[in-house]
């Protein structure tokens, strides 16, 4: 190898070992490969050589040029890796077992009371059923003894879809399907129908402190031989005492619903004002919470159950109002406000 080339190669390797950052490396690149660099200068010397010398000298200079640029590229990668390692070592250690600083979140008050009610009714042998929010006119009204043009429809105006279906106005809309689902077991095996079905309801109505256009109810039905109003009152009392864990003043008064006979309104003394009257109870001291009654014979018949043989009760608990009373929420609209600050105060007391 040409002595000059060998010397340059040795000098390059020795210098490269001392390089510790990218700036030094760039200086080296310019010093060897730049326009005025040592390797470029060697190339220029070729003009003075004979044709034979030129060939071997040219090959050696090219080899040196490739070696120098390869080694500079490799060194660049080394420097980047070393830099990354430094950054990683300098970063504070992460302890994945430390709990997050953020809140865990909490259940919505309506979900809390729904779960409490489900727990009580499940312990008394009721099944929990899920049902669609979009239902047919038949399910919501006709099957419940509310034919077209019946005045009871005026109280439950709702949102209609173009296909004639509607957003359910009450959880009673699932009654017919539940009777049909369990009538065979009732008739053939003597298994009583005991079901609750919570769900979201929709009504086209003006909102105030105790009315929303979107709210939750929980329907409950029990059908068997010899079911009476005493059974209904027993289950209502048990549910309220379990949910509130204290004595609640309740009143039962006649109420009209075409799908029950007789029908009742079950009101509770307003827990916001202690019964004195406030906007939450429309200044009456009482809050309509859970209408109920004995299932109308026509409704049983529509569900495939012979009303001469079987009787049953049904109730439609206002879950949203129950959450208001249980947690002292004065205005029902706060429950749909999406305000996390309001909702985070409530916890499951199970
Ligand atoms: C009904 O919806 C009947 N389906 C209940 C029923 C079921 C009666 C089975 C007999 C047998 P009502 O429209 O009164 O009834 O509503 C029942 C409960 O839902 C009310 O007592 C109230 O607690 C709640 N509720 C009704 N409308 C609203 C509303 N706009 N905002 C909040 N809660 C409401």
């Amino acid at each position: 190898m040409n002595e000059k080339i060998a010397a340059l190669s040795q000098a390059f390797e020795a210098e490269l070992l001392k390089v510790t950052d990218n700036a030094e490396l760039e200086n080296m690149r310019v010093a060897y490969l730049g326009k005025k660099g040592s390797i470029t200068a060697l190339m220029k010397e070729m003009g003075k050589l004979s044709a034979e010398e030129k060939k071997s000298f040219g090959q050696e200079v090219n080899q040196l040029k490739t070696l120098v640029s390869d080694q500079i590229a490799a060194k660049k990668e080394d420097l980047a890796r070393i830099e990354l390692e430094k950054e990683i070592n300098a970063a504070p250690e992460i302890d994945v077992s430390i709990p997050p600083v953020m809140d865990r979140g909490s259940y919505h008050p309506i979900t809390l009371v729904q779960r409490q009610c489900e727990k009580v009714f499940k312990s008394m042998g009721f099944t929990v059923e899920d049902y669609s929010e979009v239902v047919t006119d038949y399910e919501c009204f006709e099957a419940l003894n509310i034919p077209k043009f019946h005045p009871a429809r005026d109280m439950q105006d709702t949102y209609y879809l173009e296909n004639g279906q509607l957003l359910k106005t009450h959880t009673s809309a699932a009654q017919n399907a539940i009777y049909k689902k369990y009538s065979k077991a009732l008739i053939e095996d003597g298994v009583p129908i005991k079901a609750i079905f919570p769900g979201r309801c929709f009504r086209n109505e003006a909102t105030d402190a105790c009315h929303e256009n979107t709210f939750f109810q929980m329907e409950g039905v029990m059908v068997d031989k010899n079911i009476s109003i005493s059974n209904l009152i027993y289950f209502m009392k048990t549910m309220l005492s379990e949910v509130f864990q204290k004595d609640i003043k309740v009143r039962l008064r006649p109420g009209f619903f075409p799908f029950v006979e007789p029908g009742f309104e079950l009101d509770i003394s307003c827990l916001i004002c202690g019964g004195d009257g406030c906007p939450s109870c429309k200044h009456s001291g009482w809050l309509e919470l859970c209408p109920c009654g004995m299932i109308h014979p026509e409704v049983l018949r529509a569900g495939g159950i012979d009303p001469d043989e079987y009787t049953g009760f049904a109730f439609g608990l206002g879950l949203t109002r129950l959450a208001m009373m249980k947690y002292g929420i004065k205005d029902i609209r706060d429950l749909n406000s999406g305000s996390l600050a309001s909702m985070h105060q409530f916890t499951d007391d199970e």
Side-chain angles (χ1 to χ4, degrees), residues 144 155-156 169-173 175 201 203 205-206 210-221 257 259-260 263-267 287-295 313-322 324 332:
L144 292 166
M155 271 124 62
Q156 300 198 8
T169 57
H170 52 175
T171 41
S172 305
Q175 278 195 25
C201 304
R203 287 189 198 176
E205 64 183 339
C210 57
H211 288 87
E212 254 292 14
N213 51 29
T214 306
F215 57 96
F216 285 80
Q217 288 185 345
M218 191 184 82
E219 193 88 354
V221 293
F257 300 91
F259 36 95
V260 283
F264 307 99
E265 286 282 3
L266 188 148
D267 306 334
L287 200 77
E288 284 177 17
L289 184 69
C290 188
C292 49
M294 299 304 292
I295 303 164
F313 66 75
F315 62 87
L317 173 67
L319 270 185
T320 307
R321 287 201 189 155
L322 185 60
M324 286 174 74
I332 196 169

